[in-house]
């Protein structure tokens, strides 16, 4: 595996405990490294002497590096290409919003500028969703908890991050332990992100959903549903065969009962596949007993890989109107951001472990949590 990241939570904690060093020094070390990313271990003040030799022999301040930074023309989206220790690349995307835009309940919205970071949890993905370029590259490897946290550290050098969404490369719940450790690190000192400001998205890994609330209470769960019936879901999401819709909805009922939290439903709009009026009625029926927010996502073509077309704006709005009007389900349409830097949903693909992404991007995720 090579030298480990200081942000690899379980490894750092285990090594400190093994050496008899108090683990309360770990957040202090993180804070110093975040503020001084080019520091040497000896520059960190007030550590026990044993800590310095341990850090020098076992850990690096960073095992990843920012290879490039690309800003959208409108300045609201920034894409980071991050090179990992094994030579692979992942991307993270910063999306900037102003909560004061528009009105809420007829009154100006409170708040102000904020940034959401979309993070990757794997290189590639096993799920093989046909509308997503990441799935076309297959699965390469899991990220360590440190490599996940380092994306937040890199992004924090460019913008103050208020929300994190695990909606970049990979299926987060297929890298369960590392994601759980990373979220725990992000919600602790020195990052101190509230779990309510962290969202994990999944295609529906049932056994992981069953333990998620216990391991990460307060976390937001988003489910990539994308179809209201099993056969359509299997057509566009081959992994859905392993997670039947009936069993998935049963697991979500239990999750919601235990967590008492909204569940966010992601639904990509594919012309003639899942965007007809009867699909909207089926989806409304499927979700009628849940407390959910549905996020309709305009499909972004992925070049020669794409076999789908984008739904018309009229279809998207009709779909939204049915869910809102007939089923009284809060339904939003995802705002597209960063298209000029290929930062749109489903377009991220890395062609090999040592090759940078070509015409790639990461999901332009709305900060759904703060739009409740």
């Amino acid at each position: 595996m090579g030298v480990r990241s200081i942000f690899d939570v379980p490894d750092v904690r285990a090594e400190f405990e093994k050496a008899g060093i108090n683990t309360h020094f770990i957040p202090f070390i993180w804070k110093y490294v975040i503020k001084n990313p080019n520091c040497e271990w000896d520059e960190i003040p007030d550590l026990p002497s044993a800590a310095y030799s341990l850090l020098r022999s076992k850990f690096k301040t960073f095992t990843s590096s920012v290879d490039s930074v690309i800003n959208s023309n409108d300045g609201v989206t920034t894409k980071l290409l991050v090179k990992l220790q094994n030579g692979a690349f992942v991307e993270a995307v910063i999306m900037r919003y102003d909560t004061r835009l528009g009105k809420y309940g007829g009154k100006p919205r409170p708040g102000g500028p904020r940034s959401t970071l979309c993070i990757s949890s794997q290189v590639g993905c096993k799920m093989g969703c046909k509308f997503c370029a990441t799935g076309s590259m297959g699965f390469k490897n899991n990220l360590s908890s440190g490599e996940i946290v380092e994306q937040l550290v890199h992004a924090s050098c460019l913008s103050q991050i208020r929300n994190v969404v695990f909606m970049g490369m990979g299926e987060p719940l297929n890298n369960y332990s590392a994601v759980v450790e990373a979220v725990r690190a992000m919600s602790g000192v020195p990052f101190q992100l509230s779990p309510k400001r962290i969202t994990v998205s999944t295609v529906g890994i049932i056994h992981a959903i069953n333990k998620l609330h216990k391991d990460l209470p307060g976390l937001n769960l988003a489910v990539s549903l994308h179809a209201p019936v099993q056969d359509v879901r299997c057509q566009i999401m081959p992994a859905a065969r392993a997670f039947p819709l009936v069993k998935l909805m049963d697991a979500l009922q239990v999750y919601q009962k235990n967590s008492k939290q909204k569940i966010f439903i992601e639904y990509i709009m594919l012309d003639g596949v899942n965007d007809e009026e009867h699909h909207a009625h089926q989806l409304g029926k499927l979700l009628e007993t849940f407390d959910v927010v549905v996020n309709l996502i305009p499909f972004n073509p992925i070049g020669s890989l794409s076999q789908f077309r984008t739904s018309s704006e009229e279809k998207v709005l009709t779909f939204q109107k049915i869910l809102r009007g007939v089923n009284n389900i809060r339904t939003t349409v995802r705002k597209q951001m960063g298209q000029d830097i290929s930062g749109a949903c489903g377009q991220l693909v890395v062609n090999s472990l040592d090759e940078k992404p070509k015409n790639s991007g990461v999901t332009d995720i709305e900060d759904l949590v703060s739009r409740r």
Side-chain angles (χ1 to χ4, degrees), residues 6-7 16 25-49 51-52 55-56 59-61:
I6 190 59
F7 296 100
F16 270 55
F25 287 108
I26 297 172
F28 174 76
I29 295 169
W30 287 353
K31 186 175 182 179
Y32 191 91
V33 170
I34 292 167
K35 288 186 175 180
N36 306 275
N38 298 314
C39 70
E40 300 291 337
W41 292 128
D42 292 341
E43 297 172 20
I44 303 176
D46 305 323
L47 297 180
S49 57
Y52 293 108
L55 291 171
R56 282 193 298 267
F59 297 100
K60 291 176 69 174
T61 49

Side-chain angles (χ1 to χ4, degrees), residues 221-235:
L221 176 65
V223 179
S224 296
L225 199 61
H226 303 316
V229 291
Q230 178 70 0
D231 61 340
V232 177
R233 202 163 187 258
C234 288
Q235 287 173 30

Side-chain angles (χ1 to χ4, degrees), residues 19-193:
I21 304 168
N22 197 317
T23 56
H24 80 256
F25 287 108
I26 297 172
F28 174 76
I29 295 169
W30 287 353
K31 186 175 182 179
Y32 191 91
V33 170
I34 292 167
K35 288 186 175 180
N36 306 275
N38 298 314
C39 70
E40 300 291 337
W41 292 128
D42 292 341
E43 297 172 20
I44 303 176
D46 305 323
L47 297 180
S49 57
Y52 293 108
S53 58
L54 176 65
L55 291 171
R56 282 193 298 267
S57 63
K58 302 271 187 167
F59 297 100
K60 291 176 69 174
T61 49
F62 292 94
T63 57
S64 66
S65 59
V66 177
D67 188 85
S68 63
V69 176
I70 307 172
N71 293 303
S72 61
N73 290 333
D74 59 12
V76 300
T77 306
T78 300
K79 184 169 64 174
L80 285 72
L81 178 62
V82 178
K83 186 175 184 179
L84 307 178
Q85 188 169 220
N86 67 355
F89 290 90
V90 293
E91 288 185 340
V93 170
I94 302 168
M95 295 150 290
R96 300 172 183 88
Y97 303 87
D98 191 334
T99 58
R100 296 166 297 188
L101 298 177
K103 293 187 176 183
Y104 184 76
K107 298 178 181 178
R109 289 180 179 272
R114 69 185 190 276
S115 292
T116 293
L117 176 66
C118 178
I119 250 172
S120 294
S121 57
Q122 297 178 313
V123 181
C125 185
K126 293 178 181 178
M127 298 296 99
C129 297
K130 294 182 179 179
F131 49 81
C132 178
T134 305
S136 71
M137 65 181 283
F139 172 72
K140 304 299 183 183
N141 62 271
N142 283 323
L143 271 60
S144 69
S145 60
E147 289 171 327
I148 296 171
V149 174
E150 283 183 22
Q151 292 173 69
L152 173 58
V153 179
H154 293 317
S156 296
C157 294
L158 302 175
S159 185
Q160 185 175 351
I161 303 300
R162 186 168 175 259
N163 306 284
V164 169
V165 290
F166 283 78
M167 298 183 184
M169 266 176 118
E171 163 54 58
L173 297 191
N174 268 350
N175 189 13
Y176 189 84
S177 296
V179 167
V180 167
E181 291 290 356
V183 170
R184 287 173 176 166
M186 291 174 185
S187 56
V189 178
F191 302 102
Q192 293 184 303
L193 287 172

Side-chain angles (χ1 to χ4, degrees), residues 70 79 81 89 91 133-134 136-137 169 302-303 305 341-342 346-352 354-361:
I70 307 172
K79 184 169 64 174
L81 178 62
F89 290 90
E91 288 185 340
T134 305
S136 71
M137 65 181 283
M169 266 176 118
I302 47 180
L305 293 171
I341 57 170
S342 298
Q347 292 180 315
L348 175 58
V349 59
V350 178
N351 298 299
S352 69
D354 57 355
E355 190 173 355
K356 297 180 187 179
K358 295 180 179 179
N359 188 31
S360 59

